[in-house]
Amino acid sequence: PMVHRMVQRWLGGQDRPARLNLVWYGHPTNFPPVMAWAQQLVALGQQLPWVLNLVTRPSPKPERLIQAFNARYAPRCALQLVQWTELTQWQNVDEAHVVLIPSDTQSAVSRAKSNNRLTDALTMGRFVVASPMPAYLPYESYVAITDDPLAALNAYLSDPETALAKVTAGQTVAEQRASPQVIGALW
């Protein structure tokens, strides 16, 4: 597996970014956990500015929440709405340092989610911070499974060599467990 060179370079201790590039992608109905995590990450912005690209379908309520957040915390912490298309989703993941996958852990619907977003991000060589959901637990050695994204990102930033090793190993495991060939054979 190949970890994206930009991510590998800075995780390897070189060229730490001036702004951490985070991404979340999903449906607007899944927006409340994203906003909760953004609030938790405000403290990180005091040490390292960040932008969270939110790849989703525009919707009035998320747009208002984004505007209010940015009015209060930008430029050190910024949310950016990106119109979802398959192309923009993969472009944003490709440009991200970290993929965030917050979920409502109390929701039966959320607990039934697949691990697709997690395995896709790992396959692309991205570090993942995800809520503790049953489908994600088999990957907990390779990603941060937590309800504390601030602690996860601080650990990620303070020990880039370990993060890089996790991503590299996670790519291999994701390809072994979730490649199109493996999933196709299961069908």
Side-chain angles (χ1 to χ4, degrees):
M2 179 77 156
V3 176
H4 192 281
R5 281 187 293 257
M6 177 254 322
V7 172
Q8 187 174 29
R9 187 173 61 244
W10 89 266
L11 280 177
Q14 303 169 350
D15 302 329
R16 185 171 176 172
R19 178 178 291 271
L20 190 61
N21 187 2
L22 310 168
V23 67
W24 168 83
Y25 50 97
H27 194 273
T29 58
N30 299 320
F31 207 70
V34 176
M35 289 306 297
W37 275 27
Q39 289 293 329
Q40 292 180 45
L41 295 176
V42 168
L44 176 65
Q46 301 313 309
Q47 305 162 32
L48 178 64
W50 55 263
V51 61
L52 173 52
N53 293 297
L54 305 161
V55 185
T56 191
R57 181 176 47 86
S59 179
K61 185 174 181 180
E63 289 175 9
R64 284 192 305 274
L65 293 170
I66 290 167
Q67 289 172 353
F69 183 93
N70 288 339
R72 184 166 183 188
Y73 300 112
R76 298 202 61 82
C77 306
L79 302 178
Q80 180 174 306
L81 182 65
V82 177
Q83 170 72 44
W84 183 90
T85 67
E86 189 172 358
L87 179 61
T88 59
Q89 174 180 306
W90 299 125
Q91 286 174 334
N92 276 268
V93 172
D94 187 53
E95 294 168 1
H97 298 113
V98 178
V99 173
L100 301 179
I101 310 176
S103 298
D104 178 356
T105 58
Q106 303 306 310
S107 164
V109 172
S110 292
R111 286 193 307 274
K113 288 184 180 193
S114 75
N115 60 22
N116 291 352
R117 286 192 291 163
L118 186 143
T119 57
D120 287 344
L122 269 178
T123 300
M124 290 183 71
R126 292 301 169 274
F127 192 76
V128 176
V129 179
S131 293
M133 303 302 279
Y136 303 156
L137 296 179
Y139 295 91
E140 66 186 334
S141 297
Y142 315 105
V143 302
I145 304 287
T146 185
D147 280 325
D148 188 349
L150 179 59
L153 286 177
N154 280 327
Y156 166 75
L157 293 166
S158 68
D159 189 0
E161 291 79 19
T162 297
L164 180 58
K166 283 183 170 192
V167 170
T168 303
Q171 277 185 295
T172 301
V173 171
E175 288 171 3
Q176 290 169 349
R177 294 179 186 170
S179 71
Q181 295 79 12
V182 171
I183 299 302
L186 294 173
W187 280 68

